Amino acid sequence: MSVERYNARAIEPKWQRIWDEKGVFRAVDDPKQPKYYVLEMFPYPSGKIHIGHGRNYVMGDVVARYKRARGFNVIHPMGWDAFGLPAENAAIERKVHPRAWTYENIDTMRAQLKLLGLSLDWDREIATCHPEYYARQQSLFVDFFSEGLAYRKESDVNWDPVDHTVLANEQVIDGRGWRSGALVEKRKLSQWFFRITAFAEDLLAGLDTLDRWPDKVRLMQRNWIGRSEGLTFTFDLEDADGNLIDDKLTVYTTRHDTIFGASFCAVSPDHPLAVSRESAIPDVAAFRREFAALGTSEEAIERTEKRGINLGVYARHPFVEGLRLPVYAANFVLMTYGEGAIFGCPGHDQRDLDFARKYDLPVIPVVMPADADAATFAIADEAYVQKEGDNTVLINSRFLDGMSVPQAKEEIARRMEGAGAGRRTVNFRLRDWGISRQRYWGCPIPMVHCEACGVVPVPKDQLPVLLPDDATFDKPGNPLDHHPTWKHVDCPSCGKPARRETDTMDTFVDSSWYFARFCSPRAAEPVKREIVDYWLPVDQYIGGIEHAILHLLYARFFTRAMQRCGHVGLAEPFAGLFTQGMIIHETYKDPAGNWLFPDDVTRHEDGSVTVTATGAPVSVGPAEKMSKSKRNVVSPEEIVDTFGVDAARWFMLSDTPPERDSEWTQAGIEGAWRLVQRIWRLVGETSALAGGEVAIDAYGPAAMDLRKAAHKALSRVGEDIERLRFNVAVAHIYELANTIGTALQAMRGENAPDVAAALREAVELLVRMAAPMVPHLAEECWTVLGRETLLAATSWPEVDPAMLVEDTMVLPVQVNGKKRDELVIARDADNAAIERAVLELDGVRKALGGAAPRRVIVVPQRIVNVVA
RNA sequence: GCGGGCGUGGCGAAACUGGUAGACGCAAGGGACUUAAAAUCCCUCGGCCGCAAGGCCAUGCGGGUUCGAGUCCCGCCGCCCGCACCA
């Protein structure tokens, strides 16, 4: 029999239309039903999507469709992270208004996403740049402000003196502004902050409850929060002549046990003590300027060579009479951490050691492994830093000698506290979140500066503070700031003329609560409490690993802040998190070094690649993240047009584990297309052979094998999807398709109603287990099989547990850990019977060579190992 | 610099909680069908030795723990990612 080819181009839009008309993906706010919230990180509308963007949406869609089939009320929304810098750059470069540019991109990308056949509830679509959204964000800001969670303080920014603008770290290239090329200065600006540190302890503790998050993300957040327990204490200072001076130096340390190894103190170049010496020591001023030129990136600061400058003051050692430590301003000490000042112990900190070697400062080991010899223990190029659990002993430390590190810490803390010179402190690396951006295309911060009343929030009934449409982008600086009228308002408190805040919010704010807004996207308040209580938390969140720290931490903070203001009833927004890998693609360059699109090149049989138009040779680069600039992109339209979206979805789920990067190849998409055709053929041939359901009294062995294979596959695919192991689910579906194909061939010309019935059952199960991945094909097959329901609204098939058990098992048999034979035995055989049977096996007897075994280890249902 | 991750055939990979390494797919080679091609189907496919039966080696490298290690521990090597104003 011949079966016509599956015509994806005609069939896929048909089912998309039907799903849409029947509204099967609409999420209904019905607290009586068990809910499941699937969310992929929403996209920035940058222009067009390429096929690489599709991967995480497809993964989320598989989960959404599967959970729907499992009986959950699924919410699977989509929106746009629509504020941000690129829109403003487009405004500058192409003279388009950021709004027009953004909404045009949204329209393009929405149409592209719809091609992917995602089971999204488009009725809940939101865009963060829409006043409906940012109005509510401003209202949340006002709430946070009244709770003390939003405040203003001075902080450092990268300042471009030509463009009059603040630069992102990534816009600072070799110390210069990316657009102007001007040398960037670090400058203090009064900025808005969210008090994320108020939740530092809770954000850390909360990580322990997130058992469906990847360990590595939790670890990254833990390290980012950076909780440490240490000692804050104060040194007396003296001048070069040994006279006590008024200033004191407060430091924070976690290594107070090494106080007898201290050989210097160091403060940040921004520390008041360094600033105060600026006039006295000209080099200090120069050093501070140099430090400022490093910008605000912690990476740049830590990578630079460790240098310092002697401030000409000395810290008196708290325990050694007459010992004084020179105080340096050092470029590796951050003002934002601890007290902005440290004491340096070169023996036990690599940075301190590098610094000490450079400036010829003493290196005194004060901690060594417990089994080392104090007389000979010395530090060369590497500081000795003990690991947790190491057995250590203090040396060269007077009253601490012989103690372990924890004992010594305790002793110093006790003495310092007793003397009133210090206190035990808990410190965090986490800093408050600076949200001020001196930009146009963002959510205006709803505050007014009044000379009489100070900083006053815009009352909620006067929100939103709308962005003015008529901003201009041809002048450097913040368009809101030079708008002729926008910032001039009357003070909401006293009514006198006042000035609007012209900073807008970091776009991370927009993405910190969108998942909550999706629950009640058109509500007048930010969220409707009873509805958000039903839908949250997000059960499965899917996105890139690049968001492992900032976005996820900010969203966790935001949820806590909203909880404090009564908007939500929980602290953790994302119960399950999955971080997917990117789609990558080879890059192509012509002889002149121009990047080429995959479409522009031809791959020949011998593996060579040429420019299709000219025949010129192409140099092929390794697979990299798809990017417009390198042109290694594949458009979804083209793929859908040629192979259909199901083939594309299948390919994106196949082969590579979802958390790893996956390479897009022509061979891969062709293979996926073949699978689509193959399922179609299997369904066609089977339905021709076994039209409807037939009741069978007794299945023969061939039919039973088929049924068992089908139910095993069903059981595994279900587990695989639950665990998000899509590539393994795909493999199990291939396996079943192979089994069905073989059975179909064996059936040719035979009249075996039991096998025909088993085939039909197996094929139906195949279609249903593949449905979350290739939903259009599955719907069409479902129809061919004579079913009249909508598969997208049909529940997941039940596994028949009787089909999963076998009466015999095959046990691999090892001798000394090497496999020598296999034992086929009844599943319920006891260990003694297994042992006896094993020793009879040829392979075992041969390997033993007549000797008696010393031991036989039987691992039930798994393996047998004979120890000779 | 600090922090995190990864490493298995020609390629993407699988291997539950320490229990048969290489399932499944891609590529390649051989064959069937066909006037021919496409499509489809069948066979082979980690390396070495062997006519075969079979044996030895093999999960980046070097050690260790264990009856048994891709999996656990220690030490290296290589690659990738994040570092607070890109989103």
Side-chain angles (χ1 to χ4, degrees):
Chain A
M1 71 215 73
S2 83
V3 179
E4 264 184 54
R5 259 203 197 168
Y6 176 72
N7 182 358
R9 218 194 297 200
I11 292 168
E12 288 177 347
K14 177 182 82 180
W15 289 110
Q16 287 178 11
R17 201 174 54 244
I18 293 171
W19 292 331
D20 197 32
E21 283 165 10
K22 303 236 162 129
V24 276
F25 306 134
R26 207 169 291 137
V28 182
D29 303 330
D30 177 8
K32 287 189 293 295
Q33 293 186 56
K35 66 91 189 181
Y36 198 89
Y37 192 162
V38 187
L39 184 66
E40 301 94 48
M41 291 180 183
F42 67 162
Y44 178 77
S46 57
K48 277 186 187 173
I49 61 168
H50 52 67
I51 201 78
H53 290 114
R55 196 173 182 214
N56 68 329
Y57 306 123
V58 169
M59 286 178 190
D61 196 49
V62 172
V63 174
R65 287 176 182 271
Y66 173 78
K67 288 291 178 183
R68 223 173 263 120
R70 282 290 191 179
F72 288 94
N73 184 22
V74 169
I75 182 171
H76 185 211
M78 182 56 70
W80 310 97
D81 191 11
F83 274 136
L85 209 47
E88 244 168 296
N89 288 334
I92 295 166
E93 282 153 23
R94 297 193 237 156
K95 315 269 178 232
V96 239
H97 193 277
R99 174 178 294 106
W101 183 85
T102 302
Y103 277 102
E104 207 171 291
N105 289 345
I106 287 176
D107 287 342
T108 309
M109 287 174 61
R110 187 194 301 108
Q112 288 184 301
L113 279 183
K114 286 194 172 181
L115 288 177
L116 299 180
L118 305 170
S119 64
L120 291 165
D121 180 357
W122 282 103
D123 290 353
R124 292 175 186 260
E125 180 182 357
I126 53 178
T128 57
C129 66
H130 197 284
E132 284 278 308
Y133 186 83
Y134 73 73
R136 276 77 204 194
Q137 188 162 305
Q138 290 172 341
S139 157
L140 288 174
F141 182 95
V142 172
D143 288 344
F144 290 3
F145 179 76
S146 47
E147 283 290 321
L149 293 171
Y151 69 99
R152 245 157 75 94
K153 71 168 179 189
E154 294 238 301
S155 94
D156 288 327
V157 295
N158 297 310
W159 182 256
D160 185 318
V162 171
D163 275 352
H164 295 280
T165 181
V166 175
L167 298 176
N169 283 332
E170 72 156 19
Q171 295 174 322
V172 181
I173 297 151
D174 295 331
R176 291 173 183 276
W178 68 317
R179 215 192 305 260
S180 69
L183 280 173
V184 168
E185 304 162 7
K186 189 155 64 182
R187 189 185 259 211
K188 285 229 185 293
L189 225 59
S190 196
Q191 310 228 74
W192 286 96
F193 282 81
F194 281 147
R195 206 180 299 280
I196 189 171
T197 53
F199 294 97
E201 202 76 67
D202 193 53
L203 286 165
L204 183 66
L207 292 173
D208 291 332
T209 68
L210 299 174
D211 53 343
R212 290 202 299 117
W213 279 40
D215 286 342
K216 72 168 163 181
V217 174
R218 290 195 283 173
L219 188 59
M220 283 162 90
Q221 293 219 347
R222 196 166 284 133
N223 290 334
W224 187 261
I225 294 167
R227 182 184 193 276
S228 66
E229 291 180 4
L231 191 71
T232 302
F233 69 94
T234 303
F235 285 100
D236 287 332
L237 295 178
E238 59 182 48
D239 62 18
D241 303 327
N243 303 311
L244 192 67
I245 60 175
D246 284 345
D247 283 336
K248 295 196 183 294
L249 181 64
T250 301
V251 301
Y252 171 76
T253 180
T254 58
R255 293 303 309 272
H256 32 295
D257 55 306
T258 64
I259 185 70
F260 290 100
S263 56
F264 65 96
C265 284
V267 301
S268 166
D270 294 328
H271 191 278
L273 187 66
V275 177
S276 75
R277 307 297 289 166
E278 212 168 17
S279 52
I281 311 173
D283 288 354
V284 170
F287 186 70
R288 280 178 33 78
R289 271 198 304 279
E290 238 175 88
F291 182 69
L294 277 175
T296 60
S297 140
E298 190 168 307
E299 183 189 359
I301 291 166
E302 294 219 5
R303 266 178 190 277
T304 198
E305 190 199 358
K306 317 262 167 292
R307 289 176 48 234
I309 190 151
N310 196 319
L311 294 178
V313 292
Y314 298 84
R316 290 184 174 169
H317 194 283
F319 297 108
V320 185
E321 190 75 25
L323 178 61
R324 59 187 214 168
L325 311 172
V327 179
Y328 287 82
N331 62 3
F332 61 91
V333 182
L334 300 168
M335 196 56 218
T336 49
Y337 185 75
E339 301 290 326
I342 59 155
F343 75 79
C345 177
H348 307 288
D349 181 287
Q350 193 58 43
R351 290 183 302 188
D352 294 352
L353 182 62
D354 296 344
F355 191 81
R357 294 291 186 222
K358 189 173 176 76
Y359 295 102
D360 279 328
L361 296 161
V363 178
I364 309 151
V366 289
V367 180
M368 65 172 195
D371 54 5
D373 176 11
T376 55
F377 186 75
I379 303 291
D381 297 335
E382 235 173 88
Y384 171 64
V385 184
Q386 85 279 4
K387 294 202 185 76
E388 193 154 354
D390 283 2
N391 242 337
T392 53
V393 61
L394 272 281
I395 53 174
N396 303 324
S397 296
R398 303 199 175 182
F399 54 82
L400 299 177
D401 283 351
M403 290 184 187
S404 69
V405 166
Q407 286 170 333
K409 280 187 182 175
E410 176 58 33
E411 180 63 22
I412 293 293
R414 203 180 52 77
R415 288 186 185 231
M416 287 279 197
E417 281 182 331
R423 58 180 202 286
R424 287 173 229 244
T425 40
V426 172
N427 202 15
F428 293 92
R429 205 185 78 97
L430 183 69
R431 313 199 292 256
D432 276 337
W433 173 16
I435 60 153
S436 277
R437 300 291 182 267
Q438 293 68 37
R439 306 231 161 84
Y440 169 76
W441 196 231
C443 173
I445 293 175
M447 302 297 282
V448 172
H449 300 270
C450 169
E451 269 187 35
C453 311
V455 184
V456 184
V458 177
K460 285 197 182 176
D461 58 15
Q462 292 173 32
L463 292 178
V465 176
L466 291 172
L467 286 170
D469 280 339
D470 54 346
T472 51
F473 301 92
D474 44 4
K475 260 191 287 183
N478 181 357
L480 290 180
D481 198 35
H482 23 70
H483 189 279
T485 55
W486 186 79
K487 68 179 169 186
H488 303 295
V489 283
D490 293 338
C491 170
S493 175
C494 67
K496 290 196 198 111
R499 185 177 57 79
R500 261 194 210 296
E501 173 63 63
T502 57
D503 285 352
T504 52
M505 295 184 210
D506 179 4
T507 57
F508 269 126
V509 179
D510 313 339
S511 54
S512 288
W513 70 287
Y514 75 108
F515 47 87
R517 182 68 184 170
F518 274 136
C519 300
S520 45
R522 313 287 170 242
E525 58 272 51
V527 293
K528 274 216 167 77
R529 183 61 198 266
E530 68 278 17
I531 297 175
V532 84
D533 280 350
Y534 169 56
W535 288 117
L536 285 187
V538 174
D539 296 282
Q540 186 61 62
Y541 195 31
I542 302 178
I545 186 71
E546 67 274 19
H547 294 294
I549 297 174
L550 293 183
H551 161 60
L552 290 167
L553 194 61
Y554 291 154
R556 295 179 63 221
F557 156 73
F558 226 81
T559 307
R560 282 165 170 78
M562 287 174 77
Q563 182 183 33
R564 183 174 285 185
C565 301
H567 293 293
V568 298
L570 80 180
E572 291 297 345
F574 312 122
L577 173 70
F578 185 79
T579 56
Q580 97 285 351
M582 292 178 302
I583 298 242
I584 55 177
H585 198 286
E586 288 181 326
T587 55
Y588 307 105
K589 265 186 184 175
D590 70 12
N594 302 310
W595 297 107
L596 298 166
F597 288 107
D599 264 2
D600 299 334
V601 306
T602 304
R603 183 174 288 275
H604 302 275
E605 289 223 340
D606 60 357
S608 67
V609 179
T610 57
V611 182
T612 310
T614 63
V618 167
S619 71
V620 178
E624 297 178 44
K625 177 181 182 170
M626 284 191 179
S627 78
K628 271 189 232 166
S629 62
K630 293 193 175 168
R631 299 198 162 180
N632 58 340
V633 289
V634 174
S635 83
E637 286 91 344
E638 187 197 322
I639 293 300
V640 169
D641 213 41
T642 325
F643 300 100
V645 68
D646 281 339
R649 291 170 62 113
W650 184 261
F651 178 40
M652 286 190 260
L653 299 165
S654 302
D655 293 346
T656 306
E659 69 279 7
R660 242 181 258 181
D661 287 350
S662 167
E663 188 176 353
W664 185 274
T665 61
Q666 191 64 21
I669 182 68
E670 283 166 8
W673 183 82
R674 279 199 296 272
L675 183 275
V676 167
Q677 296 298 336
R678 191 152 156 230
I679 291 181
W680 178 246
R681 228 166 29 240
L682 293 177
V683 169
E685 290 178 19
T686 302
S687 67
L689 211 68
E693 270 180 302
V694 186
I696 297 293
D697 296 332
Y699 289 95
M704 279 306 279
D705 283 352
L706 196 52
R707 297 193 66 210
K708 282 180 181 172
H711 281 270
K712 264 181 206 155
L714 175 62
S715 155
R716 288 191 177 136
V717 168
E719 284 167 22
D720 294 337
I721 295 177
E722 298 270 5
R723 288 167 55 219
L724 309 178
R725 307 290 289 159
F726 305 115
N727 58 322
V728 186
V730 161
H732 287 136
I733 289 172
Y734 268 113
E735 235 168 356
L736 178 59
N738 290 344
T739 306
I740 291 172
T742 308
L744 259 175
Q745 285 223 318
M747 264 294 278
R748 293 240 159 92
E750 301 232 357
N751 181 20
D754 65 330
V755 178
L759 260 173
R760 193 189 156 85
E761 181 186 3
V763 162
E764 279 206 6
L765 289 177
L766 178 76
V767 165
R768 295 170 74 181
M769 71 182 81
M773 306 182 203
V774 284
H776 312 81
L777 170 71
E779 289 285 4
E780 190 68 17
C781 289
W782 195 233
T783 309
V784 170
L785 288 166
R787 302 293 183 171
E788 279 160 15
T789 55
L790 206 51
L791 193 48
T794 301
S795 60
W796 193 251
E798 292 290 328
V799 176
D800 181 349
M803 293 297 110
L804 302 184
V805 293
E806 304 279 356
D807 353 321
T808 59
M809 60 180 169
V810 182
L811 283 182
V813 179
Q814 298 179 328
V815 176
N816 290 336
K818 281 188 195 249
K819 192 196 160 193
R820 295 298 173 184
D821 214 326
E822 274 180 353
L823 177 68
V824 181
I825 197 163
R827 178 152 283 265
D828 53 4
D830 61 19
N831 283 5
I834 291 172
E835 259 185 57
R836 254 179 282 123
V838 156
L839 296 175
E840 293 301 309
L841 290 171
D842 284 349
V844 174
R845 282 162 51 179
K846 208 170 132 195
L848 287 176
R854 285 201 294 161
R855 236 174 115 188
V856 179
I857 296 161
V858 178
V859 185
Q861 311 292 314
R862 283 224 174 269
I863 202 168
V864 182
N865 192 14
V866 179
V867 186

